[in-house]
Amino acid sequence: MPSATYHLIRALSTWTAIEHITLTNLSFPSDELGVNTSFSRDAPLLPPLPSLRTLYVGQATLLPPSAVAAMLALPEYTALAHVRLVDTYRHSIWGPRIRRRDIEEAAGALKGLSEQARDALLERVRRVVSCEKKTEIGTG
């Protein structure tokens, strides 16, 4: 349920010493304009968590690739060494899975970055993000 995910992510901001987060079986808030949620265009996926080293997101729908890119652009995430996305989807499970290329494109489209900062972010995405397929959805 997207509203539960919204509240969970808000609560994460209080976990100041957390190093590893695993989130599975989620549906993210889908309001891309951010009118009803914190997931406006270019908003980071998680609040600043300077001690976070690994993030695993699995079996998730309505995950905006721009949220992952924006999170990696924050200076508070320099300790983040690995973002693993497994069976994550921008829309529903009936569409394509998110690929690292989607995160790279979102990083390239972030506003307010210099060319040098954009290049550094793209390199960081390539170094830190992995996208995997685990579950096969069959249609018959």
Side-chain angles (χ1 to χ4, degrees), residues 56-126:
Y56 176 100
V57 179
Q59 298 78 38
T61 59
L62 302 174
L63 175 63
S66 60
V68 177
M71 181 183 71
L72 290 172
L74 292 176
E76 292 89 352
Y77 280 98
T78 56
L80 188 58
H82 194 193
V83 175
R84 186 173 171 211
L85 305 177
V86 179
D87 295 332
T88 57
Y89 301 85
R90 181 188 311 228
H91 300 293
S92 78
I93 61 170
W94 305 113
R97 286 176 181 83
I98 293 175
R99 300 177 193 270
R100 190 173 64 204
R101 177 182 63 240
D102 299 323
I103 310 297
E104 291 172 6
E105 289 173 2
L110 287 177
K111 293 180 172 46
L113 295 178
S114 68
E115 186 175 334
Q116 183 179 12
R118 191 175 321 283
D119 290 345
L121 177 57
L122 286 170
E123 177 56 37
R124 180 156 165 72
V125 167
R126 291 177 184 129

Side-chain angles (χ1 to χ4, degrees), residues 7-90:
H7 292 290
L8 169 66
I9 289 174
R10 286 194 54 193
L12 288 175
S13 66
T14 64
W15 301 351
T16 55
I18 191 125
E19 293 184 8
H20 309 282
I21 295 177
T22 298
L23 301 171
T24 62
N25 301 301
L26 299 172
S27 184
F28 285 88
S30 63
D31 180 9
E32 289 187 347
L33 297 177
V35 175
N36 299 309
T37 73
S38 65
F39 286 95
S40 62
R41 193 170 310 280
D42 297 346
L45 179 62
L46 299 176
L49 298 168
S51 60
L52 188 64
R53 295 180 42 212
T54 64
L55 173 64
Y56 176 100
V57 179
Q59 298 78 38
T61 59
L62 302 174
L63 175 63
S66 60
V68 177
M71 181 183 71
L72 290 172
L74 292 176
E76 292 89 352
Y77 280 98
T78 56
L80 188 58
H82 194 193
V83 175
R84 186 173 171 211
L85 305 177
V86 179
D87 295 332
T88 57
Y89 301 85
R90 181 188 311 228

